[in-house]
Amino acid sequence: MSPARLKPTYDQLVARLAVVEANLTAIRQGDADSIVVNTENGLQVYTRDGAEAFYRALVERMPEGAAVVRADGRILYANSRCAEMVGVPVEGLVGSYLAYCVEPSQRGTLLLALEVADDATSVDLTLVDPVGARTPVAFSVGLVDAAPIGLDGPRCVIMVDLSRRYAEQEAIREAEARFRGAFDNAPIGMALLDLAGRAEQVNSALGVIARRSADDMLGVDLSWLTDDRPALQRALNALLTSESEPITLAGRIEHVDGDCTRVAVRCTLVRGHNGQPLHFIVQVEDESARIMHEERLRHLADHDPLTGLLNRRAFELAVEQHLAIAARYGPPGALILIDVDNLKYINDTRGHQVGDQAIIQLAESLRRRLRASDVMARLGGDEFAVLIPQADGETARMIAEELAAAAREVVVRGFNDNRRVTISSGVVAITDPTWTPREIMALADLAMYDSKEAGRDRVTLYGGGLPISQPDGERLTWVGRIERAIEQGGLQIDAQPIVDMVTQQIAQYELLVRLDGPEGRLPAGRWFHIAERYDLAPAIDEWVLGRAFDLLAARPDLSFNVNVSAKSIGRASWMERVRTGLQETGVEASRLTFEITETVAIGNIDNAMRFTDSLRALGCRLAMDDFGAGFASFYYLKHVPFDDVKIDGEFVRDCVTNERDRAIIRAMVDVAASLGRRTVAECIEDEATLQLVAAHGIDLAQGFHLGMPEPAEWLMPGRSRQPSGRL
């Protein structure tokens, strides 16, 4: 059978019901003895009794409860759904009173509805079944014409279960309550606007942001939420006329006191189930704190946190921008590079807080002597730079002299003579606007070094256009040479053994960076200070670290020491390189020892402590190199968690003939041992020195007598050559 035969159309059903109704009416009135119904199985003929059965079948199939009751409420007939709702079988229900099936307090209401019994009678009551279960029900009561069958005014009662409707209504109320709670208590401002943009509801957060009461905002056009009112109106119109996503605008709320609040306004259109627009929801977030935080971060990215001056990156950018303008409009101007004299001595003897205070006072004193158009920066711990636009070399030199005089006005308290600050300056006239900022600063750096070498507290003007002196030319040559070595593989690694004094065996190797060239493998002492001066040291440190991990992975039986320069201390990329190297190679972290000199740590003790703590957390070991060479060695030994202490070679080299050196070595060994540190003696160059340091309790030793630095690649598997030396 086709689907069309199985599913009659709506019109067919209506016509069929009309026939049934007409025939039933005819039977009730006595005009016919039977009815004819067209069914799926053909024509069906019902007699009077059959018609009643058919009518009862229709009532039984109703989804609502149906009952016929007398005026007093006694039940004459009930369908199965009615019995199910009441909780009593049909046979037990017929003959009982319907009023007893509802809440006792509602029985009078039901009896009154039965008495009135017109087509408009409808009441909501609660059914209570024999076990106490309660069901909300809508009762509709109407009179039934039953005269043909001898009944006087029975009532037809239709009962509709309201449980689902009530549950849906409760869900809607809960959703509305949740929305209201979220709306009223939202941490951001919220408003419900009609389609004309007037406020229907506002929450307290919006009142705080706008500094207005809710009464002042209700019913009012809220286009003042942003200073660009046309933009807000365009956003609302766009939401109305298209399927646009929520729109966010940036703006300012202007207050009556003249102040303003930076806000972000997000507009959303709410539509009904039929897609018709209902209202707008506008969210207003106070952006002031976020904007201030971002501005603060931008400021920190470009400024020195101690003095508030530009930092090196921002200064180089300012010089670059100035050169671009000067190349077109000129003149190029000049640059002054300033180095604070003896700041290390102040930090060592009076502490870093005193040194920092001196830097702050110096920066303020120098800034007062400069013009508004001059650009000043703090490049590092003790370095400042000043860009002087539209000035020749001689003018800039005179300004530098004024700055030197201003520096002498700064007094460092705590010294017997109330020490005054002095500075050494290098001045360079920018004679060629095609120079890069780095080239200009390099020339100023050369002049500044001449001031240092001449006795400090001086100003030196670089001779622009004149031949570069021998030392200056050599320095610039080294910079280019080091840069090429980093880029083109001109760096090499030597390894020098460190010997255990008890076992007389090699305990580990120190890795030493070399610069390849025509002269051979040049030690770091010849050139590394230039790499540090021109910010090339971090790249070299990372390269050495990579070679160290290669050796650790290839030789699981060996341990290695790696030196860390000042510029890598606290550098996030360098620390991340350590972490990834340990993870990728899987080597045991304790096989890697990082050597840090006191002069490296002294630049920022707090930074050094955080740095060493991070390395210790990874499981790496630490060694203090050149112990005893500075004023604060014992201070760092106390506060920084070093594992090994490498005694400066100055005390070891002549210890056989110098009683003072021997006394210092004994003291260092005693202090280190009491703190649980191992001691390493450097510069062991003969057997007598070796025997003496052994007698003084030194744990490890290193020097040419024990092993010369040799190419580290000889330690790789398959290379049989052994480093030269005693062992």
Side-chain angles (χ1 to χ4, degrees):
M1 185 175 294
S2 69
R5 294 294 304 277
L6 288 173
K7 287 181 141 185
T9 66
Y10 175 77
D11 293 339
Q12 290 172 331
L13 286 173
V14 172
R16 190 177 302 159
L17 289 173
V19 172
V20 171
E21 181 64 26
N23 283 284
L24 288 175
T25 301
I27 290 176
R28 285 199 301 270
Q29 295 175 350
D31 297 337
D33 295 328
S34 63
I35 61 174
V36 178
V37 180
N38 184 15
T39 69
E40 292 292 338
N41 297 321
L43 295 176
Q44 291 289 331
V45 180
Y46 291 90
T47 62
R48 185 180 298 275
D49 293 338
E52 182 180 353
F54 177 73
Y55 179 74
R56 285 179 178 273
L58 289 177
V59 175
E60 279 296 316
R61 294 177 66 86
M62 290 175 60
E64 297 85 9
V68 178
V69 301
R70 297 195 316 186
D72 61 359
R74 178 172 290 190
I75 300 173
L76 301 175
Y77 168 79
N79 68 356
S80 299
R81 177 60 181 145
C82 177
E84 179 184 341
M85 294 170 68
V86 173
V88 177
V90 172
E91 55 270 20
L93 196 57
V94 174
S96 64
Y97 287 90
L98 182 60
Y100 289 110
C101 300
V102 301
E103 182 79 32
S105 62
Q106 299 174 351
R107 290 170 183 171
T109 303
L110 177 60
L111 291 175
L112 181 61
L114 292 175
E115 182 179 343
V116 175
D118 58 29
D119 292 339
T121 303
S122 180
V123 292
D124 291 350
L125 303 174
T126 302
L127 289 176
V128 182
D129 68 13
V131 296
R134 307 162 71 83
T135 305
V137 174
F139 285 79
S140 297
V141 182
L143 284 171
V144 178
D145 181 13
I149 58 175
L151 292 177
D152 181 19
R155 274 69 170 158
C156 176
V157 180
I158 303 298
M159 295 177 284
V160 178
D161 189 341
L162 299 178
S163 300
R164 182 174 178 180
R165 184 187 304 172
Y166 281 8
E168 291 174 349
Q169 291 175 347
E170 181 63 23
I172 292 173
R173 282 193 294 271
E174 290 179 358
E176 289 177 346
R178 286 194 297 270
F179 172 78
R180 169 67 65 179
F183 184 90
D184 291 339
N185 301 311
I188 63 175
M190 296 188 70
L192 201 65
L193 309 184
D194 63 19
L195 298 182
R198 294 183 295 268
E200 297 177 336
Q201 294 176 241
V202 295
N203 69 352
S204 58
L206 182 57
V208 172
I209 296 171
R211 302 182 192 174
R212 304 189 186 191
S213 67
D215 292 340
D216 290 339
M217 290 185 282
L218 290 176
V220 176
D221 181 354
L222 293 190
S223 60
W224 51 263
L225 287 173
T226 172
D227 53 341
D228 191 353
R229 299 188 179 192
L232 179 59
Q233 192 57 54
R234 287 195 299 270
L236 297 180
N237 292 338
L239 291 171
L240 280 173
T241 57
S242 67
E243 297 295 328
S244 174
E245 295 293 324
I247 297 173
T248 300
L249 303 172
R252 296 184 303 172
I253 297 178
E254 297 178 354
H255 306 296
V256 293
D257 60 1
D259 194 8
C260 67
T261 300
R262 307 275 289 275
V263 294
V265 181
R266 180 180 174 85
C267 308
T268 305
L269 178 64
V270 178
R271 297 180 182 272
H273 66 278
N274 58 358
Q276 291 300 311
L278 297 179
H279 47 248
F280 297 105
I281 291 180
V282 174
Q283 298 169 301
V284 182
E285 188 168 1
D286 187 343
E287 295 281 271
S288 301
R290 182 187 64 79
I291 292 171
M292 287 179 61
H293 180 65
E294 290 180 351
E295 289 175 350
R296 174 64 177 162
L297 290 178
R298 284 194 293 270
H299 184 272
L300 289 175
D302 292 333
H303 293 79
D304 170 51
L306 184 63
T307 63
L309 297 172
L310 293 181
N311 58 19
R312 178 183 291 272
R313 186 188 71 85
F315 181 74
E316 290 182 352
L317 181 61
V319 174
E320 186 175 341
Q321 292 171 345
H322 170 74
L323 291 173
I325 296 172
R328 183 169 184 178
Y329 302 106
L335 187 142
I336 304 172
L337 192 65
I338 299 168
D339 188 271
V340 183
D341 297 329
N342 299 317
L343 180 63
K344 180 178 182 298
Y345 176 75
I346 296 173
N347 287 330
D348 283 349
T349 55
R350 308 312 303 167
H352 286 275
Q353 288 185 342
V354 174
D356 287 349
Q357 191 60 36
I359 288 293
I360 293 171
Q361 294 176 15
L362 174 63
E364 184 58 32
S365 181
L366 297 180
R367 188 158 36 193
R368 285 197 300 266
R369 297 294 182 97
L370 295 171
R371 304 168 301 179
S373 59
D374 300 333
V375 181
M376 183 176 175
R378 184 185 181 209
L379 305 182
D382 57 359
E383 278 193 343
F384 294 85
V386 181
L387 174 65
I388 311 291
Q390 299 181 349
D392 57 21
E394 185 57 31
T395 302
R397 188 194 64 76
M398 294 172 61
I399 294 174
E401 292 286 3
E402 293 179 7
L403 296 179
R408 298 185 199 103
E409 296 174 0
V410 178
V411 178
V412 181
R413 306 297 178 182
F415 293 92
N416 293 333
D417 56 354
N418 286 333
R419 184 178 300 274
R420 295 184 180 275
V421 173
T422 63
I423 58 176
S424 298
S425 304
V427 180
V428 60
I430 306 173
T431 57
D432 186 349
T434 63
W435 285 347
T436 66
R438 190 168 187 177
E439 289 171 338
I440 297 169
M441 292 177 68
L443 295 175
D445 187 66
L446 296 175
M448 185 271 293
Y449 262 102
D450 286 343
S451 294
K452 286 281 190 184
E453 293 170 1
R456 298 186 174 89
D457 192 16
R458 283 172 169 76
V459 174
T460 300
L461 173 62
Y462 181 80
L466 298 178
I468 298 176
S469 65
Q470 181 70 25
D472 295 346
E474 183 179 353
R475 242 180 260 144
L476 292 178
T477 301
W478 275 111
V479 172
R481 184 172 174 181
I482 295 168
E483 288 178 333
R484 287 192 298 274
I486 295 172
E487 296 170 359
Q488 302 174 13
L491 298 176
Q492 302 294 336
I493 291 291
D494 280 358
Q496 185 175 28
I498 301 174
V499 177
D500 188 309
M501 298 298 289
V502 175
T503 65
Q504 295 293 301
Q505 300 296 317
I506 296 175
Q508 56 213 67
Y509 287 90
E510 179 179 357
L511 300 182
L512 305 168
V513 66
R514 303 297 192 228
L515 183 66
D516 232 356
E519 314 94 319
R521 299 161 77 103
L522 298 178
R526 288 276 304 276
W527 54 271
F528 197 79
H529 64 286
I530 299 175
E532 290 183 306
R533 184 70 183 171
Y534 291 91
D535 291 325
L536 301 173
I540 297 172
D541 284 349
E542 290 198 23
W543 182 86
V544 173
L545 189 60
R547 304 293 76 73
F549 280 119
D550 292 341
L551 288 164
L552 287 166
R555 291 295 303 269
D557 57 322
L558 299 180
S559 298
F560 296 96
N561 288 23
V562 174
N563 292 280
V564 185
S565 70
K567 293 296 180 69
S568 292
I569 295 290
R571 197 180 184 92
S573 61
W574 193 88
M575 185 60 70
E576 185 59 29
R577 181 68 182 87
V578 176
R579 290 193 188 94
T580 56
L582 291 172
Q583 292 171 356
E584 292 172 357
T585 60
V587 302
E588 186 179 347
S590 61
R591 294 170 53 211
L592 185 57
T593 299
F594 291 102
E595 295 191 11
I596 302 172
T597 65
E598 179 191 343
T599 54
V600 167
I602 200 171
N604 188 327
I605 182 61
D606 294 331
N607 194 28
M609 286 181 177
R610 288 192 296 269
F611 180 74
T612 53
D613 286 344
S614 298
L615 291 175
R616 288 297 296 271
L618 294 174
C620 301
R621 295 176 61 84
L622 296 169
M624 178 190 280
D625 198 8
D626 298 337
F627 180 65
F631 294 100
S633 293
F634 289 99
Y635 175 85
Y636 295 122
L637 186 61
K638 175 183 176 182
H639 291 282
V640 181
F642 290 106
D643 299 287
D644 299 337
V645 175
K646 300 187 74 173
I647 298 174
D648 187 71
E650 178 69 23
F651 304 107
V652 176
R653 192 174 290 107
D654 300 322
C655 66
V656 173
T657 59
N658 191 315
E659 175 57 35
R660 292 181 181 178
D661 288 343
R662 292 196 296 272
I664 291 173
I665 291 173
R666 283 194 298 270
M668 290 179 178
V669 171
D670 289 343
V671 171
S674 66
L675 295 175
R677 271 66 156 170
R678 296 190 308 177
T679 50
V680 184
E682 298 183 298
C683 298
I684 304 296
E685 298 179 356
D686 53 51
E687 185 66 22
T689 304
L690 178 65
Q691 295 302 323
L692 189 145
V693 297
H696 281 69
I698 292 289
D699 299 300
L700 302 166
Q702 178 181 2
F704 293 166
H705 181 65
L706 297 172
M708 298 288 290
E710 299 284 3
E713 58 263 28
W714 293 350
L715 296 175
M716 298 295 282
R719 304 297 294 267
S720 59
R721 180 175 177 180
Q722 293 294 323
S724 61
R726 180 174 180 273
L727 298 175

